[in-house]
Amino acid sequence: MRKKWFSCLASFLLLVSLMVPIQANGKEKDQKPVELWGALKPLDTIVSFMNTGAHPDDERSDMLAYLSRGRGVRTASLLANRGEGGQNEIGNELGNALGIIRSRELMEAAKITSVQVFHLSQNPDDEIYDFGFSKSVEETLSKWGEDVAYERLIRIIRTYRPDIIMPSFLNVNTEHGHHRTVNVLTLRAFKDAADPKVFPEQLKEGLSPWQIKKLYLPASDSSATTSFEIGMYDDIYGMTYPQLGEESRFLHKSQGMGKKIPAEPRTIHLNLAKSVTGIPVKESSMFDSIPYDFKEYAANVSNEPKISTELKKLQNELEQLISLYPNDDKIADLTYDVLQHERQVAKMVKASNMDKTTKEDLLFRLSIKEQQLTKLSEVASKVKVETDVENPTLVRNGSTKVKVAISNNGKKALQHVNVNLSVPEQWKVTRKDQAKTVKPGERAVIHFTVHVPKNASYYQPYDPPVIHSKVTYDVKRTKTTHQFEPKQTVTVLPEVSLQSDPESLVVNTADVKEKMEVSVKAKNYQKGPLHSVLSLKVPRNWKVTPSAVPVSFTKQNEEKTVTFTVKPPKDVKEGNFTFDPFAVVHQRMVNTAVQVIHYDHIGTFYYLYDAKTKGVSFPLAFNKNLKIGYVESGFDNVADELRRVGMNIASLTEGQLETTDLSQFDTIVLGIRAYLSREDLLANNQKLLDYVKNGGHLVVQYNKPEDHWDADSTAPYKLVIGSPSIQWRVTDEQANVTVLKPEHALFNTPNKITDKDWDNWIQERGLYYPSEWSDQFEPLVRMADPNEKPFDGGILLAHYGKGTYIYSSLVWYRQIQNQVPGGYRLFTNLMDYNGE
């Protein structure tokens, strides 16, 4: 029976529920078995919903929490990329490493809201990636590959089979181009996912066309075809659904997401953009015209009266299970009976003469209900399975012991127990023992040994775990099968990982050093002793000593470092080059770097990439005696990169701004968004302004408007950062740049800046441009995305007292950290400016 409790009754219940006090410490939700309710509630409905977006954290967390936790709707988030182009508020990982973090944060967030996660992007080097902010669908699809992105979207829709789909964002010019692109593709897929002529190869693989029933778009109150309240208090979870959504958003720590919000009404407004049954002016529910449960679905198979009757009986049994909450013993006992009935109904459907499309649809919905009942049987029966991998860091030809422990904390014996490990093809598993029956109160432990083949694939962070346990047992003559992931992240890594130091290198052709040192850190991932030989490959005409170094390890995770001396030729040419370390292990060459990524909220994961030192050679003039203080924000590595080229950079860490005599510095630089991350900077901002007033030179890199930036007092004169920030950026990294005052010292000293210095920029030109500034500021560059009004606030210079103040919205850190010569040369000029 359809639950229309977001009508008048819902409004009344909301007012009542909002009067229920919420425990500040969250203890109230611990008083009720949350996991049991989470397994029960999905039995209430057969509806599936999918939310589409571009990046991790694009999901509509509040509405997903309501649909999944509040209504039991099967929900999914489909995101295009991994967020590789974003910024990182918890560490210095960027690019693919950040993408891994954001992907895992999304997975953890989805556990809070009980949402299944899909991505179009399949690996760290996928063409569907977050290349930074885009302003158009055309640019996004040209970089992602329209056919690839669309084929994967259709494939996921045909696999998941949602009844309702909704993109998180509209296709409007104030939106991120990635958001707009997902909107466009989602709307197109409404028809195409059901068309067998679209990507017919998917049908040969076993997928079937799927017709989404409804497509909604976010709307305002005035444009909505349906609106519903989600702000009600749920006493199972001890909070409202928006609050539950925010609990999930707190897991997006690298993006600074999540906030404490009060318990208050919140209405969702949606506009029905596409529907298989027509679009009404108003709807009573987003579930109108969609069978909400098996009772309503029974009307679709009225020509099969026996099946129709059994579907109604099945739904009654499902609702009976829900009504037994929180009595887990009674629920456990009944679940196996209902599971048997569901399987009987499925057999009847398979044997029926109903049309192919309806049969396939009904069998799919029954299979989902079987999965849900199987999960409920595990939770209600209090069966706990732990899969423990003794050595989760594996290598080719290696092995590890695996222990699977089954604890029966319920009141029913687990009979005909069979425990296996699922591993990739060609891996070998040997089992030492087996448990046939696990009685109530008993714990059985099964031991395995896993052998990794010599050609095993290396770890890929977006693949499913290479090892998981598969446990089958009977209760009340009903067989159920469950899968469990290991507690640890199980990896296959190279026997030796290599890491160069430095990983990036600038050779100044204006002052070529006679020699340079490159250290290569080798780490042994093989269990036990290992012998290897390390070498460093350098470009032709360069020389390296020693040519090879034997390195032996005695135990796993042992690290050793070898230092190579590299001598460049006298006539180093401008351009790019690499130094490539490699190790010979077991007569094979290994040259892989392994970056370990660990945070408490996501666990431990790894990023594997080619080990190398990426070098670039170009002329760079700078004053070696210039003393520069750098206020590091934690969001960029610019200070380290500048130190490597020989600049005199001193980091002003937490506490030093207050105690240090700033007059000793010729220049002070603030890292990106420093006003957000450095509370001591806020407290000592006036000291910095006094430093400028007394003759110092301050270079401030961009901040967001919300980064504690005060338009009237943070800078020496009024400076307003543009908002909404989405409109105040130049995303085309090749956008034409006009130097407004080419004769100015900033473009001539110590480096003569030419058009060449604006070439090969990475990701974008600038962002968070000022929208307004005092006449005291002098704009020095002009740039714009194609067909847009230009911005003049990329570099603003002001004289204040005896000193000078520069505010720049250009993304210097991306250029310097990616070794763009013009980035180094221009930024050096900004730091070197002496006011003349």
Side-chain angles (χ1 to χ4, degrees), residues 770-810:
S771 58
E772 182 183 352
W773 55 83
S774 165
D775 291 341
Q776 302 288 342
F777 283 105
E778 180 182 14
L780 296 170
V781 292
R782 174 177 295 156
M783 60 193 71
D785 279 324
N787 305 314
E788 292 192 4
K789 182 180 178 180
F791 296 124
D792 290 356
I795 301 176
L796 296 174
L797 169 66
H799 290 265
Y800 180 61
K802 298 177 181 178
T804 46
Y805 181 102
I806 289 178
Y807 184 90
S808 180
S809 298
L810 304 189

mmCIF file of all heavy atoms in Angstrom, residues 770-810:
data_model
loop_
_atom_site.group_PDB
_atom_site.id
_atom_site.type_symbol
_atom_site.label_atom_id
_atom_site.label_comp_id
_atom_site.label_asym_id
_atom_site.label_seq_id
_atom_site.Cartn_x
_atom_site.Cartn_y
_atom_site.Cartn_z
ATOM 1 N N PRO A 770 38.672 39.035 -7.804
ATOM 2 C CA PRO A 770 37.968 40.136 -7.144
ATOM 3 C C PRO A 770 36.931 40.749 -8.086
ATOM 4 O O PRO A 770 37.144 40.852 -9.289
ATOM 5 C CB PRO A 770 39.090 41.135 -6.839
ATOM 6 C CG PRO A 770 40.347 40.334 -6.863
ATOM 7 C CD PRO A 770 40.119 39.274 -7.889
ATOM 8 N N SER A 771 35.809 41.144 -7.508
ATOM 9 C CA SER A 771 34.769 41.795 -8.294
ATOM 10 C C SER A 771 34.801 43.311 -8.125
ATOM 11 O O SER A 771 34.212 44.048 -8.920
ATOM 12 C CB SER A 771 33.386 41.266 -7.871
ATOM 13 O OG SER A 771 33.172 41.483 -6.484
ATOM 14 N N GLU A 772 35.474 43.752 -7.088
ATOM 15 C CA GLU A 772 35.527 45.192 -6.799
ATOM 16 C C GLU A 772 36.781 45.463 -5.972
ATOM 17 O O GLU A 772 37.156 44.658 -5.122
ATOM 18 C CB GLU A 772 34.282 45.602 -6.015
ATOM 19 C CG GLU A 772 34.171 47.078 -5.692
ATOM 20 C CD GLU A 772 32.952 47.391 -4.852
ATOM 21 O OE1 GLU A 772 32.108 46.484 -4.637
ATOM 22 O OE2 GLU A 772 32.852 48.548 -4.386
ATOM 23 N N TRP A 773 37.410 46.598 -6.248
ATOM 24 C CA TRP A 773 38.590 46.965 -5.475
ATOM 25 C C TRP A 773 38.783 48.473 -5.456
ATOM 26 O O TRP A 773 38.269 49.197 -6.319
ATOM 27 C CB TRP A 773 39.847 46.274 -5.998
ATOM 28 C CG TRP A 773 40.123 46.498 -7.470
ATOM 29 C CD1 TRP A 773 40.741 47.558 -8.051
ATOM 30 C CD2 TRP A 773 39.760 45.614 -8.540
ATOM 31 N NE1 TRP A 773 40.799 47.397 -9.406
ATOM 32 C CE2 TRP A 773 40.219 46.215 -9.741
ATOM 33 C CE3 TRP A 773 39.116 44.383 -8.599
ATOM 34 C CZ2 TRP A 773 40.037 45.602 -10.984
ATOM 35 C CZ3 TRP A 773 38.940 43.775 -9.833
ATOM 36 C CH2 TRP A 773 39.393 44.390 -11.013
ATOM 37 N N SER A 774 39.493 48.922 -4.460
ATOM 38 C CA SER A 774 39.772 50.342 -4.306
ATOM 39 C C SER A 774 40.630 50.861 -5.451
ATOM 40 O O SER A 774 41.405 50.114 -6.064
ATOM 41 C CB SER A 774 40.500 50.559 -2.974
ATOM 42 O OG SER A 774 41.099 51.837 -2.918
ATOM 43 N N ASP A 775 40.508 52.152 -5.713
ATOM 44 C CA ASP A 775 41.331 52.776 -6.748
ATOM 45 C C ASP A 775 42.813 52.708 -6.417
ATOM 46 O O ASP A 775 43.659 52.938 -7.285
ATOM 47 C CB ASP A 775 40.919 54.245 -6.939
ATOM 48 C CG ASP A 775 39.536 54.370 -7.575
ATOM 49 O OD1 ASP A 775 39.076 53.380 -8.174
ATOM 50 O OD2 ASP A 775 38.919 55.440 -7.448
ATOM 51 N N GLN A 776 43.130 52.401 -5.161
ATOM 52 C CA GLN A 776 44.536 52.277 -4.764
ATOM 53 C C GLN A 776 45.190 51.066 -5.416
ATOM 54 O O GLN A 776 46.414 51.002 -5.503
ATOM 55 C CB GLN A 776 44.644 52.153 -3.238
ATOM 56 C CG GLN A 776 44.043 53.314 -2.466
ATOM 57 C CD GLN A 776 44.880 54.579 -2.572
ATOM 58 O OE1 GLN A 776 46.055 54.515 -2.931
ATOM 59 N NE2 GLN A 776 44.278 55.731 -2.304
ATOM 60 N N PHE A 777 44.375 50.102 -5.843
ATOM 61 C CA PHE A 777 44.918 48.914 -6.507
ATOM 62 C C PHE A 777 45.093 49.177 -8.000
ATOM 63 O O PHE A 777 44.226 49.772 -8.647
ATOM 64 C CB PHE A 777 43.997 47.703 -6.318
ATOM 65 C CG PHE A 777 44.106 47.070 -4.965
ATOM 66 C CD1 PHE A 777 43.108 47.271 -4.011
ATOM 67 C CD2 PHE A 777 45.187 46.264 -4.642
ATOM 68 C CE1 PHE A 777 43.195 46.676 -2.770
ATOM 69 C CE2 PHE A 777 45.285 45.676 -3.393
ATOM 70 C CZ PHE A 777 44.291 45.878 -2.446
ATOM 71 N N GLU A 778 46.185 48.705 -8.525
ATOM 72 C CA GLU A 778 46.504 48.862 -9.935
ATOM 73 C C GLU A 778 46.391 47.498 -10.629
ATOM 74 O O GLU A 778 47.161 46.582 -10.326
ATOM 75 C CB GLU A 778 47.933 49.393 -10.064
ATOM 76 C CG GLU A 778 48.409 49.602 -11.478
ATOM 77 C CD GLU A 778 49.853 50.093 -11.531
ATOM 78 O OE1 GLU A 778 50.555 50.010 -10.491
ATOM 79 O OE2 GLU A 778 50.288 50.566 -12.597
ATOM 80 N N PRO A 779 45.427 47.307 -11.539
ATOM 81 C CA PRO A 779 45.323 46.036 -12.266
ATOM 82 C C PRO A 779 46.402 45.950 -13.346
ATOM 83 O O PRO A 779 46.688 46.930 -14.038
ATOM 84 C CB PRO A 779 43.925 46.088 -12.868
ATOM 85 C CG PRO A 779 43.604 47.543 -12.992
ATOM 86 C CD PRO A 779 44.325 48.237 -11.886
ATOM 87 N N LEU A 780 46.974 44.750 -13.495
ATOM 88 C CA LEU A 780 48.124 44.608 -14.380
ATOM 89 C C LEU A 780 47.925 43.605 -15.514
ATOM 90 O O LEU A 780 48.699 43.617 -16.481
ATOM 91 C CB LEU A 780 49.358 44.208 -13.562
ATOM 92 C CG LEU A 780 49.808 45.265 -12.542
ATOM 93 C CD1 LEU A 780 50.870 44.696 -11.626
ATOM 94 C CD2 LEU A 780 50.335 46.499 -13.259
ATOM 95 N N VAL A 781 46.936 42.709 -15.412
ATOM 96 C CA VAL A 781 46.697 41.751 -16.492
ATOM 97 C C VAL A 781 45.201 41.647 -16.754
ATOM 98 O O VAL A 781 44.383 41.891 -15.872
ATOM 99 C CB VAL A 781 47.261 40.347 -16.171
ATOM 100 C CG1 VAL A 781 48.774 40.360 -16.130
ATOM 101 C CG2 VAL A 781 46.683 39.808 -14.875
ATOM 102 N N ARG A 782 44.885 41.275 -17.989
ATOM 103 C CA ARG A 782 43.485 41.108 -18.390
ATOM 104 C C ARG A 782 43.355 39.780 -19.122
ATOM 105 O O ARG A 782 44.195 39.436 -19.949
ATOM 106 C CB ARG A 782 43.054 42.250 -19.294
ATOM 107 C CG ARG A 782 41.640 42.102 -19.889
ATOM 108 C CD ARG A 782 41.284 43.330 -20.706
ATOM 109 N NE ARG A 782 41.189 44.511 -19.851
ATOM 110 C CZ ARG A 782 41.338 45.769 -20.270
ATOM 111 N NH1 ARG A 782 41.609 45.997 -21.545
ATOM 112 N NH2 ARG A 782 41.233 46.774 -19.428
ATOM 113 N N MET A 783 42.296 39.018 -18.793
ATOM 114 C CA MET A 783 42.095 37.730 -19.456
ATOM 115 C C MET A 783 40.625 37.347 -19.341
ATOM 116 O O MET A 783 39.905 37.845 -18.478
ATOM 117 C CB MET A 783 42.992 36.658 -18.842
ATOM 118 C CG MET A 783 42.772 36.410 -17.368
ATOM 119 S SD MET A 783 44.106 35.413 -16.620
ATOM 120 C CE MET A 783 45.476 36.581 -16.636
ATOM 121 N N ALA A 784 40.201 36.436 -20.208
ATOM 122 C CA ALA A 784 38.794 36.013 -20.203
ATOM 123 C C ALA A 784 38.660 34.673 -20.878
ATOM 124 O O ALA A 784 39.445 34.321 -21.772
ATOM 125 C CB ALA A 784 37.926 37.041 -20.924
ATOM 126 N N ASP A 785 37.662 33.926 -20.456
ATOM 127 C CA ASP A 785 37.281 32.739 -21.199
ATOM 128 C C ASP A 785 36.645 33.171 -22.513
ATOM 129 O O ASP A 785 36.155 34.308 -22.633
ATOM 130 C CB ASP A 785 36.295 31.902 -20.382
ATOM 131 C CG ASP A 785 36.990 31.030 -19.353
ATOM 132 O OD1 ASP A 785 38.098 30.536 -19.658
ATOM 133 O OD2 ASP A 785 36.452 30.843 -18.258
ATOM 134 N N PRO A 786 36.641 32.298 -23.522
ATOM 135 C CA PRO A 786 36.074 32.670 -24.830
ATOM 136 C C PRO A 786 34.651 33.208 -24.709
ATOM 137 O O PRO A 786 33.819 32.667 -23.978
ATOM 138 C CB PRO A 786 36.102 31.340 -25.596
ATOM 139 C CG PRO A 786 37.220 30.567 -24.978
ATOM 140 C CD PRO A 786 37.195 30.938 -23.523
ATOM 141 N N ASN A 787 34.410 34.309 -25.399
ATOM 142 C CA ASN A 787 33.083 34.929 -25.496
ATOM 143 C C ASN A 787 32.566 35.462 -24.171
ATOM 144 O O ASN A 787 31.353 35.600 -23.974
ATOM 145 C CB ASN A 787 32.066 33.949 -26.087
ATOM 146 C CG ASN A 787 32.485 33.395 -27.430
ATOM 147 O OD1 ASN A 787 32.930 34.149 -28.306
ATOM 148 N ND2 ASN A 787 32.372 32.093 -27.599
ATOM 149 N N GLU A 788 33.473 35.735 -23.235
ATOM 150 C CA GLU A 788 33.057 36.285 -21.959
ATOM 151 C C GLU A 788 33.760 37.615 -21.689
ATOM 152 O O GLU A 788 34.802 37.920 -22.263
ATOM 153 C CB GLU A 788 33.357 35.298 -20.821
ATOM 154 C CG GLU A 788 32.500 34.048 -20.860
ATOM 155 C CD GLU A 788 32.607 33.231 -19.584
ATOM 156 O OE1 GLU A 788 33.290 33.687 -18.637
ATOM 157 O OE2 GLU A 788 32.002 32.149 -19.523
ATOM 158 N N LYS A 789 33.169 38.359 -20.776
ATOM 159 C CA LYS A 789 33.741 39.637 -20.381
ATOM 160 C C LYS A 789 35.058 39.404 -19.651
ATOM 161 O O LYS A 789 35.153 38.532 -18.788
ATOM 162 C CB LYS A 789 32.755 40.378 -19.472
ATOM 163 C CG LYS A 789 33.219 41.753 -19.037
ATOM 164 C CD LYS A 789 32.172 42.401 -18.135
ATOM 165 C CE LYS A 789 32.657 43.760 -17.646
ATOM 166 N NZ LYS A 789 31.644 44.409 -16.749
ATOM 167 N N PRO A 790 36.101 40.178 -19.977
ATOM 168 C CA PRO A 790 37.411 39.922 -19.355
ATOM 169 C C PRO A 790 37.474 40.385 -17.903
ATOM 170 O O PRO A 790 36.729 41.262 -17.473
ATOM 171 C CB PRO A 790 38.369 40.737 -20.224
ATOM 172 C CG PRO A 790 37.530 41.844 -20.786
ATOM 173 C CD PRO A 790 36.169 41.252 -20.992
ATOM 174 N N PHE A 791 38.374 39.750 -17.150
ATOM 175 C CA PHE A 791 38.687 40.135 -15.777
ATOM 176 C C PHE A 791 40.022 40.866 -15.759
ATOM 177 O O PHE A 791 40.980 40.453 -16.416
ATOM 178 C CB PHE A 791 38.784 38.908 -14.869
ATOM 179 C CG PHE A 791 37.506 38.152 -14.712
ATOM 180 C CD1 PHE A 791 37.438 36.793 -15.024
ATOM 181 C CD2 PHE A 791 36.357 38.765 -14.242
ATOM 182 C CE1 PHE A 791 36.269 36.086 -14.871
ATOM 183 C CE2 PHE A 791 35.181 38.062 -14.081
ATOM 184 C CZ PHE A 791 35.128 36.714 -14.404
ATOM 185 N N ASP A 792 40.075 41.930 -14.975
ATOM 186 C CA ASP A 792 41.323 42.693 -14.823
ATOM 187 C C ASP A 792 41.977 42.463 -13.461
ATOM 188 O O ASP A 792 43.010 43.045 -13.165
ATOM 189 C CB ASP A 792 41.055 44.201 -14.984
ATOM 190 C CG ASP A 792 40.715 44.566 -16.422
ATOM 191 O OD1 ASP A 792 40.761 43.677 -17.296
ATOM 192 O OD2 ASP A 792 40.391 45.739 -16.667
ATOM 193 N N GLY A 793 41.356 41.602 -12.632
ATOM 194 C CA GLY A 793 41.842 41.473 -11.254
ATOM 195 C C GLY A 793 42.784 40.317 -11.006
ATOM 196 O O GLY A 793 42.973 39.914 -9.855
ATOM 197 N N GLY A 794 43.401 39.763 -12.058
ATOM 198 C CA GLY A 794 44.290 38.618 -11.884
ATOM 199 C C GLY A 794 45.523 38.952 -11.060
ATOM 200 O O GLY A 794 45.990 38.134 -10.261
ATOM 201 N N ILE A 795 46.072 40.141 -11.256
ATOM 202 C CA ILE A 795 47.191 40.640 -10.445
ATOM 203 C C ILE A 795 46.873 42.085 -10.095
ATOM 204 O O ILE A 795 46.773 42.944 -10.980
ATOM 205 C CB ILE A 795 48.543 40.574 -11.193
ATOM 206 C CG1 ILE A 795 48.868 39.137 -11.613
ATOM 207 C CG2 ILE A 795 49.661 41.127 -10.316
ATOM 208 C CD1 ILE A 795 50.143 39.020 -12.450
ATOM 209 N N LEU A 796 46.706 42.345 -8.815
ATOM 210 C CA LEU A 796 46.430 43.701 -8.338
ATOM 211 C C LEU A 796 47.583 44.155 -7.452
ATOM 212 O O LEU A 796 47.987 43.439 -6.531
ATOM 213 C CB LEU A 796 45.124 43.740 -7.544
ATOM 214 C CG LEU A 796 43.836 43.412 -8.314
ATOM 215 C CD1 LEU A 796 42.656 43.345 -7.355
ATOM 216 C CD2 LEU A 796 43.575 44.463 -9.397
ATOM 217 N N LEU A 797 48.087 45.346 -7.728
ATOM 218 C CA LEU A 797 49.224 45.893 -6.974
ATOM 219 C C LEU A 797 48.810 47.193 -6.300
ATOM 220 O O LEU A 797 48.178 48.059 -6.913
ATOM 221 C CB LEU A 797 50.400 46.157 -7.917
ATOM 222 C CG LEU A 797 51.579 46.960 -7.365
ATOM 223 C CD1 LEU A 797 52.300 46.182 -6.268
ATOM 224 C CD2 LEU A 797 52.551 47.322 -8.485
ATOM 225 N N ALA A 798 49.152 47.316 -5.025
ATOM 226 C CA ALA A 798 48.872 48.559 -4.292
ATOM 227 C C ALA A 798 50.093 48.952 -3.490
ATOM 228 O O ALA A 798 50.808 48.108 -2.935
ATOM 229 C CB ALA A 798 47.673 48.364 -3.366
ATOM 230 N N HIS A 799 50.349 50.279 -3.427
ATOM 231 C CA HIS A 799 51.355 50.823 -2.517
ATOM 232 C C HIS A 799 50.644 51.183 -1.213
ATOM 233 O O HIS A 799 49.566 51.768 -1.222
ATOM 234 C CB HIS A 799 52.017 52.051 -3.134
ATOM 235 C CG HIS A 799 52.900 51.712 -4.304
ATOM 236 N ND1 HIS A 799 54.250 51.514 -4.193
ATOM 237 C CD2 HIS A 799 52.589 51.504 -5.606
ATOM 238 C CE1 HIS A 799 54.749 51.207 -5.375
ATOM 239 N NE2 HIS A 799 53.754 51.203 -6.262
ATOM 240 N N TYR A 800 51.240 50.791 -0.112
ATOM 241 C CA TYR A 800 50.632 51.043 1.201
ATOM 242 C C TYR A 800 51.745 51.472 2.139
ATOM 243 O O TYR A 800 52.647 50.683 2.455
ATOM 244 C CB TYR A 800 49.948 49.785 1.712
ATOM 245 C CG TYR A 800 49.287 49.941 3.073
ATOM 246 C CD1 TYR A 800 48.253 50.860 3.263
ATOM 247 C CD2 TYR A 800 49.685 49.161 4.146
ATOM 248 C CE1 TYR A 800 47.643 50.998 4.500
ATOM 249 C CE2 TYR A 800 49.068 49.284 5.392
ATOM 250 C CZ TYR A 800 48.055 50.211 5.567
ATOM 251 O OH TYR A 800 47.450 50.354 6.789
ATOM 252 N N GLY A 801 51.689 52.738 2.543
ATOM 253 C CA GLY A 801 52.787 53.263 3.349
ATOM 254 C C GLY A 801 54.067 53.227 2.535
ATOM 255 O O GLY A 801 54.120 53.674 1.390
ATOM 256 N N LYS A 802 55.111 52.623 3.116
ATOM 257 C CA LYS A 802 56.393 52.521 2.420
ATOM 258 C C LYS A 802 56.513 51.230 1.611
ATOM 259 O O LYS A 802 57.520 51.035 0.927
ATOM 260 C CB LYS A 802 57.530 52.571 3.444
ATOM 261 C CG LYS A 802 57.596 53.869 4.253
ATOM 262 C CD LYS A 802 58.711 53.792 5.283
ATOM 263 C CE LYS A 802 58.772 55.066 6.128
ATOM 264 N NZ LYS A 802 59.837 54.974 7.171
ATOM 265 N N GLY A 803 55.528 50.352 1.723
ATOM 266 C CA GLY A 803 55.657 49.041 1.099
ATOM 267 C C GLY A 803 54.631 48.775 0.008
ATOM 268 O O GLY A 803 53.895 49.676 -0.417
ATOM 269 N N THR A 804 54.574 47.522 -0.405
ATOM 270 C CA THR A 804 53.711 47.143 -1.530
ATOM 271 C C THR A 804 52.954 45.857 -1.196
ATOM 272 O O THR A 804 53.442 44.984 -0.474
ATOM 273 C CB THR A 804 54.535 46.930 -2.811
ATOM 274 O OG1 THR A 804 55.691 46.138 -2.506
ATOM 275 C CG2 THR A 804 54.962 48.254 -3.408
ATOM 276 N N TYR A 805 51.772 45.762 -1.777
ATOM 277 C CA TYR A 805 50.853 44.650 -1.519
ATOM 278 C C TYR A 805 50.347 44.140 -2.862
ATOM 279 O O TYR A 805 49.833 44.912 -3.673
ATOM 280 C CB TYR A 805 49.698 45.147 -0.655
ATOM 281 C CG TYR A 805 48.659 44.132 -0.259
ATOM 282 C CD1 TYR A 805 48.657 43.586 1.021
ATOM 283 C CD2 TYR A 805 47.657 43.731 -1.144
ATOM 284 C CE1 TYR A 805 47.680 42.667 1.417
ATOM 285 C CE2 TYR A 805 46.679 42.812 -0.767
ATOM 286 C CZ TYR A 805 46.698 42.296 0.515
ATOM 287 O OH TYR A 805 45.731 41.395 0.907
ATOM 288 N N ILE A 806 50.497 42.837 -3.102
ATOM 289 C CA ILE A 806 49.994 42.223 -4.335
ATOM 290 C C ILE A 806 48.959 41.173 -3.970
ATOM 291 O O ILE A 806 49.196 40.322 -3.103
ATOM 292 C CB ILE A 806 51.132 41.568 -5.153
ATOM 293 C CG1 ILE A 806 52.022 42.647 -5.783
ATOM 294 C CG2 ILE A 806 50.562 40.670 -6.246
ATOM 295 C CD1 ILE A 806 53.198 42.089 -6.561
ATOM 296 N N TYR A 807 47.802 41.240 -4.625
ATOM 297 C CA TYR A 807 46.802 40.187 -4.514
ATOM 298 C C TYR A 807 46.669 39.557 -5.891
ATOM 299 O O TYR A 807 46.444 40.256 -6.889
ATOM 300 C CB TYR A 807 45.445 40.720 -4.061
ATOM 301 C CG TYR A 807 44.435 39.618 -3.848
ATOM 302 C CD1 TYR A 807 44.312 39.025 -2.595
ATOM 303 C CD2 TYR A 807 43.642 39.147 -4.888
ATOM 304 C CE1 TYR A 807 43.407 37.993 -2.384
ATOM 305 C CE2 TYR A 807 42.735 38.112 -4.686
ATOM 306 C CZ TYR A 807 42.625 37.546 -3.435
ATOM 307 O OH TYR A 807 41.749 36.514 -3.237
ATOM 308 N N SER A 808 46.813 38.211 -5.960
ATOM 309 C CA SER A 808 46.735 37.540 -7.255
ATOM 310 C C SER A 808 45.767 36.373 -7.201
ATOM 311 O O SER A 808 45.848 35.517 -6.313
ATOM 312 C CB SER A 808 48.113 37.041 -7.691
ATOM 313 O OG SER A 808 48.006 36.390 -8.944
ATOM 314 N N SER A 809 44.870 36.329 -8.181
ATOM 315 C CA SER A 809 43.907 35.234 -8.301
ATOM 316 C C SER A 809 44.389 34.146 -9.259
ATOM 317 O O SER A 809 43.676 33.166 -9.478
ATOM 318 C CB SER A 809 42.568 35.765 -8.820
ATOM 319 O OG SER A 809 42.024 36.697 -7.917
ATOM 320 N N LEU A 810 45.558 34.306 -9.817
ATOM 321 C CA LEU A 810 46.066 33.307 -10.746
ATOM 322 C C LEU A 810 46.510 32.068 -9.970
ATOM 323 O O LEU A 810 46.975 32.158 -8.838
ATOM 324 C CB LEU A 810 47.219 33.876 -11.567
ATOM 325 C CG LEU A 810 46.890 35.159 -12.349
ATOM 326 C CD1 LEU A 810 48.028 35.520 -13.292
ATOM 327 C CD2 LEU A 810 45.588 34.999 -13.139
#
